[in-house]
Amino acid sequence: MKPFDPLRLDCAIALAKDTFCVVFSGKDYEDVDSYILVYEGRLEQPWSRSDVPRKIDGLTGKIGEDGRPIIYALSDEGDVYTLPMGQSSSHRKIEGAGVYSDDATDLGYVNSIVLIGDALFVTGYHSQLYRLTDSDTGWFHKEKLPQAPATYDYLVFGDLSGSTEGDLYMNVTYSPASTNRELTEEEEEEMGRLYLAGRNEEAAAIRRASEGPSRVLEGRLYHWNGQEWRIIAKPRSGKYYAEPATLSDIFIESVDKVWAVGGNGVILFGNAEHGFQDVSFKGNDENLRSITKFKDRMVIASDYALHWFDGHLLSPLKPVLDPSINRNIPNPLKVQAVDDVLYYFDTKHGVQTFDGERWTEIEIPPELLERDFKGLPAAKPR
């Protein structure tokens, strides 16, 4: 399969063994239109498409009472699109979120959405956590949210997962405050004089003297027990690699078995009650993007490959994907197991499913990815 040039797959979610949603948008950041494609395998015409004039950064959903999917799509500006298949869609905006929205404040973008019970939870880049229901949109216990320590500029709230509203896990990134100082007026003048005299190295030395030690983003895993948030894991705090790791995905296998993966090959396993262990291993420093459990084995997607994880080591997931995928370098976005089917979503190469023995590509009709989309025949039950 050829890459979807000039489009890329930005978000994906599987809801059943034959039902999923993917979002495509242009690779150019100024191209903000997104195409939301829903696949319902039980229908004679399984595809449907909805267009929105925003970049979609998060997807969640469920199967409705009529057996058809209900998709919730989140834009980086805080737009929430509700798309119940076969019914009218709706839209609402989280007030104050975003950068370019008319109502935007200094909160910035939002980045993830998840459905827990009957409520939607949305996280954002400046300690934003919202709870949305059919009748209300508001902050989730704003007064109790984690706050940035003095040496950090702000906290980025990332993926959130949980079985109930009283048992939530959230990955949080600490963004350090700059250690650089402003140049004095005399230093600025001296730099200018040195540059004009062609003494560039001496001028650059003045700039370097104002720079403090470099600091990196740091990850934390938080838990909400219904009363308070507390840190339950600090990835890579000295095990094998000195540099802290940020987290990218949380997977709840059961109440007692919770997984999280992230940068520098970090793999965390445990639960809020008994704590977490770093079960990653020396020599693995890949950025890990997504984790799921397929049948009785853990599957992890790194930047460029898929792996089995046996609790101790990563090994290549075999059989490998079709050679055409390998030749074009896979770019894993997400792995997700549903009803004994493993879904693999690739940024450049689309959707593959795995039954434990062989891979099957789900081909996306090219007309669905055309900018001037003219529609598809109405879906009919088989």
Side-chain angles (χ1 to χ4, degrees):
M1 186 178 85
K2 295 180 180 179
F4 298 107
D5 192 33
L7 300 175
R8 59 177 288 133
L9 198 163
D10 287 331
C11 296
I13 186 171
L15 298 177
K17 64 180 181 181
D18 60 356
T19 306
F20 64 87
C21 176
V22 289
V23 176
F24 285 86
S25 68
K27 294 178 182 178
D28 186 346
Y29 192 76
E30 294 181 357
D31 185 1
V32 298
D33 293 336
S34 295
Y35 311 146
I36 303 174
L37 311 182
V38 177
Y39 180 86
E40 300 176 77
R42 67 185 181 86
L43 301 181
E44 184 173 338
Q45 172 49 266
W47 293 100
S48 59
R49 168 172 148 170
S50 301
D51 294 5
V52 295
R54 292 289 196 190
K55 282 283 189 182
I56 296 300
D57 265 7
L59 279 179
T60 190
K62 63 182 179 180
I63 300 297
E65 294 181 359
D66 61 357
R68 302 196 66 186
I70 301 172
I71 302 297
Y72 303 95
L74 173 74
S75 84
D76 55 4
E77 291 285 336
D79 303 273
V80 179
Y81 301 91
T82 301
L83 309 170
M85 295 301 102
Q87 302 178 42
S88 299
S89 61
S90 61
H91 162 264
R92 55 178 153 169
K93 173 72 169 60
I94 299 174
E95 184 177 353
V99 174
Y100 298 105
S101 303
D102 291 339
D103 66 347
T105 57
D106 60 350
L107 292 172
Y109 294 123
V110 291
N111 56 37
S112 76
I113 184 169
V114 64
L115 179 65
I116 298 176
D118 294 324
L120 294 167
F121 286 80
V122 173
T123 63
Y125 281 92
H126 283 81
S127 300
Q128 294 150 274
L129 179 55
Y130 306 100
R131 180 181 182 274
L132 290 69
T133 64
D134 289 340
S135 59
D136 185 50
T137 298
W139 288 81
F140 182 72
H141 297 288
K142 186 175 183 179
E143 72 285 355
K144 296 184 178 181
L145 290 174
Q147 301 296 313
T151 55
Y152 297 85
D153 276 342
Y154 56 89
L155 303 183
V156 180
F157 289 179
D159 286 347
L160 183 144
S161 188
S163 55
T164 68
E165 293 191 27
D167 182 22
L168 303 176
Y169 292 86
M170 179 170 65
N171 82 58
V172 176
T173 299
Y174 281 47
S175 180
S178 174
T179 57
N180 298 345
R181 64 171 177 81
E182 296 290 331
L183 291 175
T184 65
E185 186 175 338
E186 292 78 11
E187 288 173 323
E188 292 278 9
E189 292 176 354
E190 181 65 7
M191 271 183 57
R193 185 184 70 79
L194 290 170
Y195 277 125
L196 288 174
R199 296 159 65 180
N200 294 347
E201 282 298 322
E202 293 177 63
I206 294 177
R207 172 66 68 187
R208 288 194 297 270
S210 69
E211 297 175 352
S214 60
R215 301 179 64 195
V216 299
L217 298 174
E218 300 180 20
R220 303 286 190 275
L221 184 62
Y222 273 81
H223 179 258
W224 169 260
N225 61 9
Q227 300 295 324
E228 63 178 354
W229 289 99
R230 64 184 183 92
I231 299 173
I232 52 176
K234 182 179 179 181
R236 196 66 88 216
S237 55
K239 182 179 181 182
Y240 305 133
Y241 300 95
E243 182 178 317
T246 57
L247 296 172
S248 55
D249 193 24
I250 300 170
F251 173 68
I252 298 180
E253 181 182 349
S254 67
V255 173
D256 297 325
K257 298 179 180 179
V258 179
W259 300 81
V261 296
N264 289 343
V266 69
I267 306 171
L268 301 178
F269 175 69
N271 58 64
E273 182 178 358
H274 298 106
F276 280 77
Q277 288 184 310
D278 186 338
V279 295
S280 50
F281 52 95
K282 189 173 184 179
N284 176 43
D285 59 357
E286 291 189 77
N287 289 325
L288 306 180
R289 298 297 182 189
S290 182
I291 182 171
T292 192
K293 186 176 184 179
F294 177 54
K295 297 185 177 179
D296 61 347
R297 304 175 73 180
M298 303 306 299
V299 177
I300 295 178
S302 66
D303 272 342
Y304 301 109
L306 300 178
H307 313 269
W308 296 115
F309 181 62
D310 64 3
H312 302 283
L313 294 173
L314 291 177
S315 59
L317 193 155
K318 295 182 178 180
V320 296
L321 290 165
D322 183 273
S324 65
I325 295 290
N326 293 336
R327 278 201 302 271
N328 287 301
I329 306 177
N331 280 177
L333 173 71
K334 181 178 182 178
V335 286
Q336 184 184 358
V338 183
D339 297 335
D340 286 334
V341 173
L342 177 66
Y343 279 87
Y344 166 52
F345 301 100
D346 188 283
T347 298
K348 293 182 178 178
H349 304 289
V351 186
Q352 304 269 340
T353 60
F354 184 58
D355 64 5
E357 296 183 1
R358 62 182 62 87
W359 289 98
T360 300
E361 177 188 350
I362 298 179
E363 295 190 21
I364 298 174
E367 60 268 28
L368 273 171
L369 299 175
E370 293 177 358
R371 184 176 293 276
D372 186 18
F373 177 58
K374 295 181 172 60
L376 291 168
K380 297 178 181 179
R382 286 180 176 175

